[in-house]
Amino acid sequence: MKPVAPALQSLPPGVTRPADYEARARAILGDDAWAYFSAHAGDGQTVRANRAAWAALALQPRVLRGLRSIDTTTVLLGSSLPSPLLVAPMALQRLAHPDGEVAMAAAAAALGAGFILSSQASQPMESIAAAFLPDRHRGPLWFQLYLLPQRAATLELVRRAEAAGCEALVLTVDAAVRAARPLRLPPDVLPVNLPPTSAPGGTLQDLLALAPAWEDVAWLRSVTRLPVLLKGVLHPADAAEAVRQGVAGVIVSNHGGRVLDGAVATATALPAVVAAVERRIPVLVDGGVQGGTDVLKALALGAGGVLVGRPLLWGLAAAGAAGAAHVLRLLRDELELAMAQCGAGAIAQLDGSLLASGA
Amino acid sequence: MKPVAPALQSLPPGVTRPADYEARARAILGDDAWAYFSAHAGDGQTVRANRAAWAALALQPRVLRGLRSIDTTTVLLGSSLPSPLLVAPMALQRLAHPDGEVAMAAAAAALGAGFILSSQASQPMESIAAAFLPDRHRGPLWFQLYLLPQRAATLELVRRAEAAGCEALVLTVDAAVRAARPLRLPPDVLPVNLPPTSAPGGTLQDLLALAPAWEDVAWLRSVTRLPVLLKGVLHPADAAEAVRQGVAGVIVSNHGGRVLDGAVATATALPAVVAAVERRIPVLVDGGVQGGTDVLKALALGAGGVLVGRPLLWGLAAAGAAGAAHVLRLLRDELELAMAQCGAGAIAQLDGSLLASGA
Amino acid sequence: MKPVAPALQSLPPGVTRPADYEARARAILGDDAWAYFSAHAGDGQTVRANRAAWAALALQPRVLRGLRSIDTTTVLLGSSLPSPLLVAPMALQRLAHPDGEVAMAAAAAALGAGFILSSQASQPMESIAAAFLPDRHRGPLWFQLYLLPQRAATLELVRRAEAAGCEALVLTVDAAVRAARPLRLPPDVLPVNLPPTSAPGGTLQDLLALAPAWEDVAWLRSVTRLPVLLKGVLHPADAAEAVRQGVAGVIVSNHGGRVLDGAVATATALPAVVAAVERRIPVLVDGGVQGGTDVLKALALGAGGVLVGRPLLWGLAAAGAAGAAHVLRLLRDELELAMAQCGAGAIAQLDGSLLASGA
Amino acid sequence: MKPVAPALQSLPPGVTRPADYEARARAILGDDAWAYFSAHAGDGQTVRANRAAWAALALQPRVLRGLRSIDTTTVLLGSSLPSPLLVAPMALQRLAHPDGEVAMAAAAAALGAGFILSSQASQPMESIAAAFLPDRHRGPLWFQLYLLPQRAATLELVRRAEAAGCEALVLTVDAAVRAARPLRLPPDVLPVNLPPTSAPGGTLQDLLALAPAWEDVAWLRSVTRLPVLLKGVLHPADAAEAVRQGVAGVIVSNHGGRVLDGAVATATALPAVVAAVERRIPVLVDGGVQGGTDVLKALALGAGGVLVGRPLLWGLAAAGAAGAAHVLRLLRDELELAMAQCGAGAIAQLDGSLLASGA
């Protein structure tokens, strides 16, 4: 119930839902940037399954609870946050808009959402952090990374993230091994925070050599005081192992359907992962989240936070920081509205009893 | 098996089912009125789910029962009524047709259906009641209300409804908190029975302040001798609480999919609510009812009455009172026919054994 | 493996499956005749469900069984029949083709299928029987009837059927009460075997007065030595009652979706009915059967015979007796082929183990 | 991780998935050849079910397993093979491309896939074997056969296959009895390895006389030292019988939906067959496999090898040996990638725990 940010005043007319930005982004973006952001593995089965799985969950709201306000305060990793929403780590956001990650971070800060800074950001991480950290009501700033070929380089990246003010590390575990896709990107949009190494060899063996293992997780935890989360966990056995290994949290994700086509929808995978961690660490989720009721359903299934990806890129592409902020505001408003309609005044009141089993 | 009302003589040709009126209404109504009546929350998931859930229920009829007549007499709140059908409370019916609620009430009275008078009616409630009450074979006249900002104003509304002859109060519990929608309505179509208060503030907190709570239900029951029903109950726990609180009945409704997109279909929610109240109070239902077999299925699932909404508006829009009456007559005829085809001569003979589990 | 009848030599080119005749019939039939035959109740939910339910059953065939021949001999009501197929009773077949029921009966006789003579036939039943009975390899000749307003008239009809050589009576129990449909039929196509009574009153009560009851079944059984079957049974409780009442057989049917829209698909209803009669009387089935695998699936679910309706009308409309015979031959060939492919050399070898539960 | 074969250098542009070849093949093939290869029984229910059943299985991948390489080595019939993929036996491949089976065999050899030589090949089996056998990393060479009318002729075929170097016999058990289809094929594309017998009589009895039985399986096993597998097993009871009879393996297949429409999808049938053989013999599968994740899912369900059919024909049609090899390479690469993404470095690590039950 924060006042609307001034920057939101000149937005595309007729946008009332996050998904409305997709067509606008398609009209603005060049074919290459559109292809890059909307890409999916295989036939797109998992992209469609992600959406369908949220839609298949039906809500049975509670009434007459005498709510006087809606509080989206979320406790995550010991911190009290204004919102359960986080901006998913997405590479090369200057492809979407010249203002890139700095604009996205400013939007997230203004709306109280968390921001997961991609190690493939197209702007210096320090500039991005500077756009995010000053906001008083901001959410968490986390740094996403892949393992680099040399641990020294990885460590340098971690140190820079720590120095920039990042509050947790998110190790992506599901995407080191993926099909190469021909990319025709403008020469001036680059992952500027990564060392100017020659591209890794394209063989599967080359890719596997870069894929993280549990021992890398242990090493990463040993070199930083920041909490380490794993992004890309779908199997409950891996979630249980993450708890055993002392990981700070897991993010149920199939990389937005971009890596393994046929991977289970995240809304389908979430309950078993939540059950496997036995409330010892938070479980976050992303994939196909396009509206406030999707967020509410994720939280009702036990998610401790919800990452949003492409809808924010479409907002950024269509209207820069204001567009991304608008998407976050729409999501926040829809979430608050849906909580009120479900009789839940606080995030902790969202649980499985809100989901109709017979639907 | 009442004779056809004279007013039904000049109807649009080719209408044989209630749904046939929708296209006719679309052709007649202006864009704004059409948008107002056909609106739904979000992507319309719940609107579609309401229809699909009735269609997914399959009937296994009984044969050779030697029926000599079909009796739709329904006992509700201690009264014997000619029909299980009720006109759902719908706002501003003069947007559909200049004759508005008066015409709708006359149609309902002529066909023996109940009429739930919306507190947002566009004609004086006394005029509407006057069109309804004189009919000898009429159904019940109930008054629907939302809580008003001041209890005194709410009480005044209740007193007017009592004085006008309303026989029960229906407190809507699912719609105080909803997304604002820009409305461009003609200046002369207004909720004339409500106090000319300035519009409530548009913040969620403002809306929550107006949302009813269980203590408001208790207050409402304390100030009137009329039975009080709750409209908008989907969760069995709320239905059970309603019984504990002494409420006279509950109406399973998701507000026609207009409030919370993703809410469970009413046909899906109905059985658990029926089970939760353990036959102590009647459970009514609305949402997606477009034909006599939908009504029969609702009654077979344990509903004590069935509300019909948009199809009646389409009939009213297309042909005034005669159109609305035609829709009710088609529904009545279809229900009687379906009862006969299922071997049920009376409403009390409709139960779950008519529904095929394997379908 | 009967030789092809000579009459089949000049058939429409390109027809390889029964369903291929539908488009040809549509092109040939006038709008009124097409509307009459293809009519369905309500939205056509049950028509679609009939088809979908057969398609949803998956076969897991047996192999290497060393079959040397396929024998479709079926024992029904104590007789050994060349085929489990029967022509469903269909009214006014001269609307489809000038040769009408006589042609259809000749086709059925030539292909060894049974023929259920509709009491609403458009040709004298004696002529129809004369076209059917002489064939040496013919199936059974049954007579379908509705109760007439006077028992004397019904009895006269039964006596004529007996005299004409009919071997069983099929009492239709699901269609006395149905919605009136405006029919514009040519004046010379009439139910010539029925008494020239004035049409019954159109009220529901008038219709109910004509609907059969269990006492009518008992009366019918008392006045004839022919076995009496009931057509239109969907509920297992009615099937069990039929056994108790001494009925000779039941036909699981929803009248091709023409009577009660929302009625359960016959393939869905069949297993429970089969279970309810505990093998004491045969259970036949119709509705949506368009191919030999549909017939095989019905038999595997426990049906003792399978009625085919509309596909035969389309064949009759497109090519007279030869067209109807072609449809029956295609069905017979498809059934024999499917039996061979499933490793079943005889009808008795078809059972539920051929149906994949996981499909 | 074999280097790309030189022949793959000039391939149609824009092909990134096996299915991309289908449209290219359609554009190149004449109508008759296209109809021959894409034919299906009935309405194509089983063709569609095959695809849908693979797509309905959802993967829940494992992460962080520290894989250093992916090994697709598969043990089958006691041999260690470079790949679980085999080229399904397909007739008359010269209809697809003038280079025919020789090209297909060369492609299979180059990619380490097995090759099942159809007895209806359009080139001498010795030439085909000569194109396949010399490759050092090749997979198995098996010979597919139908029973011929005379055992002597069948035996001669077996002896030729043995002499040509075939390492197992695959007896097709599901296709002797099938609907005749009018074929207009070029006169120079013939099953050159079969004796120039007159076509068998077209009656069902003629066809049945040629259908194999268990005693034929025993006879075949008695006259050869080669292992004998059965292709076309869908029922678990037949799989169990195959074990009892001493058969070397079974191939779960519905003949690509070409024989019995309505047959269960192979992905649906596979688990029960795997359970029935209790790991005593290998179970292979084909039908609808179009991508590496389909292969992985089949292996996870317990398949010991996976046959690929039509996609290879489309590749052959579009670009000869290079096209077929490209399809196999795409499948191999997709399988290796999917294994890596699922955390499985070896085929033996693929099991049911990778499949999400809730999807």
Side-chain angles (χ1 to χ4, degrees):
Chain A
M1 281 167 279
K2 183 174 297 197
V4 175
L8 299 181
Q9 277 161 0
S10 58
L11 291 170
V15 170
T16 61
R17 308 222 46 215
D20 294 338
Y21 273 109
E22 182 169 348
R24 284 169 170 78
R26 180 66 196 93
I28 285 175
L29 290 174
D31 286 350
D32 293 335
W34 172 260
Y36 178 72
F37 289 130
S38 64
H40 54 69
D43 301 326
Q45 288 173 20
T46 294
V47 169
R48 291 189 297 275
N50 275 350
R51 285 294 307 140
W54 293 119
L57 295 168
L59 293 166
Q60 47 181 9
R62 305 300 303 267
V63 292
L64 292 167
R65 293 207 156 180
L67 306 178
R68 286 299 161 247
S69 64
I70 301 300
D71 184 356
T72 62
T73 300
T74 302
V75 176
L76 201 51
L77 301 184
S79 296
S80 182
L81 310 172
S83 163
L85 294 172
L86 299 98
V87 177
M90 294 173 286
L92 303 178
Q93 297 180 23
R94 282 184 56 229
L95 285 178
H97 191 278
D99 296 344
E101 288 83 1
V102 166
M104 185 73 89
L111 271 297
F115 186 83
I116 308 184
L117 204 164
S118 167
S119 58
Q120 297 179 328
S122 54
Q123 293 172 320
M125 66 170 88
E126 293 78 7
S127 310
I128 302 166
F132 185 80
L133 291 171
D135 195 286
R136 281 187 52 230
H137 294 92
R138 71 170 175 87
L141 179 65
W142 295 353
F143 182 72
Q144 175 274 338
L145 75 163
Y146 297 96
L147 282 196
L148 298 180
Q150 280 81 34
R151 281 195 168 173
T154 306
L155 189 54
E156 187 182 325
L157 206 54
V158 168
R159 293 288 175 258
R160 270 183 74 195
E162 291 169 340
C166 293
E167 297 150 338
L169 299 180
V170 174
L171 182 67
T172 299
V173 298
D174 67 357
V177 181
R178 59 198 298 181
R181 231 177 280 275
L183 275 188
R184 283 166 306 187
L185 299 180
D188 62 329
V189 179
L190 294 167
V192 296
N193 297 296
L194 295 180
T197 144
S198 62
T203 73
L204 182 54
Q205 220 150 11
D206 294 334
L207 294 172
L208 285 171
L210 283 176
W214 286 110
E215 63 183 21
D216 299 303
V217 176
W219 169 79
L220 185 62
R221 291 184 56 237
S222 75
V223 298
T224 181
R225 283 164 310 171
L226 296 183
V228 173
L229 298 96
L230 304 181
K231 177 167 178 287
V233 172
L234 289 171
H235 202 293
D238 286 334
E241 181 65 17
V243 173
R244 279 191 292 273
Q245 299 265 347
V247 163
V250 295
I251 303 176
V252 171
S253 173
N254 50 36
H255 220 102
R258 296 168 76 91
V259 171
L260 172 63
D261 200 29
V264 62
T266 48
T268 307
L270 179 58
V273 171
V274 166
V277 304
E278 297 174 335
R279 298 176 177 274
R280 301 201 192 168
I281 58 172
V283 177
L284 295 86
V285 69
D286 75 0
V289 173
Q290 292 188 0
T293 53
D294 299 333
V295 177
L296 186 149
K297 290 170 182 177
L299 299 169
L301 287 174
V306 179
L307 284 60
V308 180
R310 290 187 184 98
L312 289 168
L313 278 174
W314 308 148
L316 181 68
H326 192 202
V327 170
L328 284 168
R329 195 186 74 181
L330 289 169
L331 287 170
R332 183 199 67 185
D333 290 354
E334 288 182 7
L335 172 61
E336 289 179 352
L337 191 65
M339 288 175 66
Q341 290 167 339
C342 285
I347 296 292
Q349 292 167 15
L350 300 172
D351 62 28
S353 70
L354 286 172
L355 299 168
S357 56
Chain B
M1 281 169 279
K2 181 174 297 197
V4 176
L8 299 182
Q9 277 161 359
S10 57
L11 291 170
V15 170
T16 61
R17 308 220 48 214
D20 294 337
Y21 274 109
E22 182 169 348
R24 285 170 169 77
R26 181 65 196 94
I28 284 175
L29 290 174
D31 286 349
D32 293 334
W34 173 259
Y36 178 71
F37 289 130
S38 63
H40 54 69
D43 301 326
Q45 288 174 18
T46 294
V47 168
R48 290 188 298 275
N50 276 349
R51 284 295 307 140
W54 294 119
L57 295 167
L59 293 165
Q60 48 182 8
R62 304 301 303 267
V63 292
L64 293 167
R65 294 207 154 179
L67 306 177
R68 286 298 160 248
S69 64
I70 300 300
D71 184 355
T72 61
T73 300
T74 302
V75 176
L76 202 52
L77 302 183
S79 297
S80 183
L81 310 172
S83 163
L85 294 173
L86 300 97
V87 178
M90 294 173 285
L92 302 177
Q93 297 179 22
R94 283 185 56 230
L95 285 178
H97 191 278
D99 295 346
E101 288 84 1
V102 166
M104 185 72 88
L111 271 296
F115 186 82
I116 309 184
L117 204 164
S118 167
S119 59
Q120 297 180 327
S122 54
Q123 293 171 320
M125 66 169 88
E126 292 78 9
S127 310
I128 303 167
F132 185 81
L133 291 171
D135 196 286
R136 280 187 53 229
H137 294 92
R138 72 171 174 86
L141 179 66
W142 296 352
F143 182 72
Q144 174 275 337
L145 75 164
Y146 298 96
L147 282 195
L148 298 181
Q150 280 82 32
R151 282 193 168 174
T154 306
L155 189 53
E156 187 183 325
L157 206 56
V158 169
R159 292 287 174 260
R160 271 184 73 194
E162 291 168 339
C166 293
E167 296 150 338
L169 299 180
V170 173
L171 181 67
T172 299
V173 297
D174 67 357
V177 181
R178 59 197 298 180
R181 231 177 279 276
L183 275 188
R184 283 166 307 185
L185 299 180
D188 62 330
V189 179
L190 293 166
V192 295
N193 297 296
L194 296 180
T197 142
S198 60
T203 72
L204 182 55
Q205 220 151 10
D206 294 334
L207 295 172
L208 284 170
L210 283 175
W214 286 110
E215 64 183 21
D216 299 304
V217 176
W219 170 78
L220 185 62
R221 291 184 57 238
S222 75
V223 298
T224 182
R225 283 164 311 171
L226 297 183
V228 172
L229 298 96
L230 304 182
K231 177 167 178 288
V233 172
L234 290 171
H235 202 293
D238 286 334
E241 180 66 18
V243 173
R244 279 191 293 274
Q245 298 265 349
V247 163
V250 295
I251 302 175
V252 171
S253 173
N254 50 37
H255 220 101
R258 297 168 76 91
V259 170
L260 173 63
D261 201 29
V264 62
T266 48
T268 308
L270 179 58
V273 171
V274 167
V277 306
E278 296 173 336
R279 299 176 177 274
R280 302 200 191 169
I281 57 172
V283 176
L284 295 87
V285 68
D286 75 1
V289 174
Q290 292 188 359
T293 53
D294 299 332
V295 178
L296 186 150
K297 290 170 182 178
L299 298 169
L301 288 174
V306 179
L307 283 61
V308 180
R310 289 187 184 97
L312 289 167
L313 278 175
W314 308 148
L316 180 68
H326 192 203
V327 170
L328 284 168
R329 196 187 72 182
L330 290 169
L331 287 171
R332 184 200 66 187
D333 290 354
E334 288 183 6
L335 173 61
E336 289 179 352
L337 191 65
M339 288 175 67
Q341 290 167 338
C342 286
I347 297 292
Q349 293 166 15
L350 301 172
D351 62 29
S353 71
L354 286 172
L355 299 169
S357 56
Chain C
M1 282 166 277
K2 182 172 298 197
V4 174
L8 300 182
Q9 277 159 359
S10 57
L11 291 170
V15 169
T16 61
R17 309 220 48 214
D20 294 338
Y21 273 110
E22 181 169 347
R24 284 169 170 78
R26 181 64 196 96
I28 284 173
L29 289 174
D31 286 350
D32 293 335
W34 172 259
Y36 179 71
F37 289 130
S38 64
H40 54 69
D43 301 325
Q45 288 174 20
T46 294
V47 169
R48 291 189 297 275
N50 276 349
R51 285 294 307 138
W54 294 120
L57 295 167
L59 293 165
Q60 48 181 7
R62 303 301 303 267
V63 293
L64 292 168
R65 294 207 155 181
L67 305 177
R68 286 299 162 246
S69 64
I70 301 300
D71 183 355
T72 61
T73 301
T74 302
V75 176
L76 201 51
L77 302 183
S79 297
S80 182
L81 310 172
S83 162
L85 294 173
L86 300 98
V87 178
M90 295 173 283
L92 301 179
Q93 297 180 22
R94 284 185 55 231
L95 285 178
H97 190 278
D99 295 344
E101 288 84 2
V102 166
M104 185 72 88
L111 272 296
F115 186 83
I116 309 184
L117 204 163
S118 167
S119 58
Q120 296 180 328
S122 54
Q123 292 172 320
M125 66 170 88
E126 292 78 9
S127 310
I128 302 167
F132 185 81
L133 291 171
D135 196 284
R136 278 186 55 229
H137 293 92
R138 71 171 175 85
L141 179 66
W142 295 353
F143 182 72
Q144 174 275 338
L145 74 164
Y146 297 96
L147 282 195
L148 297 181
Q150 279 82 33
R151 282 193 168 173
T154 305
L155 189 52
E156 188 183 324
L157 206 55
V158 168
R159 293 287 174 258
R160 272 183 73 194
E162 290 169 340
C166 293
E167 297 151 338
L169 300 180
V170 174
L171 182 66
T172 299
V173 298
D174 67 356
V177 181
R178 59 199 298 181
R181 232 176 280 275
L183 275 189
R184 281 165 307 183
L185 299 180
D188 63 330
V189 179
L190 293 167
V192 296
N193 297 297
L194 296 180
T197 141
S198 60
T203 72
L204 182 55
Q205 221 150 10
D206 293 335
L207 295 172
L208 285 171
L210 284 176
W214 286 111
E215 64 182 22
D216 299 304
V217 176
W219 169 79
L220 185 62
R221 291 184 58 237
S222 75
V223 297
T224 183
R225 284 164 310 172
L226 297 182
V228 173
L229 298 95
L230 304 182
K231 178 168 178 285
V233 172
L234 290 170
H235 202 293
D238 286 334
E241 180 66 17
V243 174
R244 279 191 292 274
Q245 299 265 348
V247 163
V250 294
I251 303 176
V252 170
S253 173
N254 50 38
H255 220 102
R258 296 168 76 91
V259 170
L260 173 62
D261 200 30
V264 62
T266 49
T268 306
L270 179 58
V273 170
V274 167
V277 305
E278 296 173 337
R279 300 175 177 274
R280 302 200 191 171
I281 58 173
V283 177
L284 295 86
V285 68
D286 75 0
V289 173
Q290 292 188 358
T293 53
D294 299 332
V295 177
L296 186 149
K297 290 170 182 178
L299 299 169
L301 288 174
V306 179
L307 283 61
V308 180
R310 290 188 184 98
L312 289 167
L313 279 175
W314 308 148
L316 180 68
H326 191 202
V327 170
L328 284 167
R329 197 187 71 181
L330 290 169
L331 286 170
R332 183 200 67 186
D333 290 354
E334 288 183 7
L335 172 62
E336 288 179 352
L337 191 66
M339 288 174 66
Q341 290 166 340
C342 285
I347 297 291
Q349 292 166 15
L350 301 172
D351 63 27
S353 70
L354 286 171
L355 299 169
S357 57
Chain D
M1 281 167 277
K2 182 173 300 199
V4 175
L8 300 181
Q9 277 160 0
S10 58
L11 291 169
V15 169
T16 61
R17 309 221 47 215
D20 294 338
Y21 274 109
E22 181 169 348
R24 284 169 170 78
R26 180 66 196 92
I28 284 174
L29 291 174
D31 287 349
D32 293 335
W34 172 259
Y36 178 71
F37 289 130
S38 63
H40 53 69
D43 301 326
Q45 288 173 20
T46 294
V47 170
R48 291 189 297 274
N50 276 349
R51 285 294 307 141
W54 293 120
L57 295 168
L59 294 166
Q60 48 181 7
R62 304 299 303 267
V63 293
L64 293 168
R65 292 206 156 180
L67 306 177
R68 285 298 162 248
S69 64
I70 301 300
D71 184 354
T72 62
T73 300
T74 303
V75 176
L76 201 51
L77 302 183
S79 298
S80 182
L81 311 172
S83 162
L85 293 173
L86 300 98
V87 178
M90 294 173 286
L92 301 179
Q93 297 180 23
R94 284 185 56 231
L95 285 178
H97 191 278
D99 295 344
E101 288 84 1
V102 167
M104 185 73 87
L111 272 295
F115 186 83
I116 309 184
L117 204 163
S118 167
S119 59
Q120 297 179 327
S122 53
Q123 292 172 321
M125 67 170 88
E126 292 78 10
S127 310
I128 302 167
F132 185 81
L133 290 171
D135 196 285
R136 279 186 54 230
H137 293 93
R138 70 169 176 88
L141 178 67
W142 295 352
F143 181 72
Q144 175 275 338
L145 74 163
Y146 297 95
L147 282 195
L148 297 180
Q150 279 81 34
R151 281 195 169 174
T154 306
L155 188 53
E156 188 183 324
L157 206 56
V158 168
R159 292 286 175 260
R160 272 184 71 196
E162 291 169 340
C166 293
E167 298 151 336
L169 300 179
V170 173
L171 181 67
T172 299
V173 298
D174 67 356
V177 182
R178 57 199 300 182
R181 232 177 279 276
L183 274 189
R184 282 165 306 185
L185 299 180
D188 62 331
V189 179
L190 294 166
V192 295
N193 297 298
L194 296 180
T197 144
S198 60
T203 73
L204 183 54
Q205 221 150 8
D206 295 334
L207 295 172
L208 284 170
L210 284 176
W214 286 110
E215 62 183 23
D216 299 303
V217 176
W219 169 79
L220 185 62
R221 291 184 57 236
S222 75
V223 298
T224 181
R225 284 165 309 172
L226 297 183
V228 173
L229 298 95
L230 304 181
K231 177 167 178 287
V233 172
L234 290 170
H235 202 293
D238 286 334
E241 181 64 18
V243 173
R244 278 190 294 273
Q245 299 266 347
V247 163
V250 295
I251 303 176
V252 171
S253 173
N254 50 37
H255 219 101
R258 295 168 78 90
V259 171
L260 173 63
D261 200 31
V264 63
T266 49
T268 307
L270 180 57
V273 171
V274 167
V277 305
E278 296 174 336
R279 299 177 177 274
R280 301 200 191 169
I281 58 173
V283 177
L284 295 87
V285 69
D286 76 359
V289 173
Q290 293 188 359
T293 53
D294 298 333
V295 178
L296 186 149
K297 291 170 183 178
L299 299 170
L301 288 174
V306 179
L307 284 61
V308 179
R310 290 188 183 96
L312 289 168
L313 278 175
W314 308 148
L316 181 68
H326 191 203
V327 170
L328 284 168
R329 197 186 71 182
L330 290 169
L331 286 170
R332 184 199 66 186
D333 290 354
E334 288 183 7
L335 172 61
E336 289 179 352
L337 190 65
M339 288 175 66
Q341 289 166 339
C342 286
I347 298 291
Q349 292 166 16
L350 300 172
D351 63 27
S353 70
L354 286 171
L355 299 168
S357 56

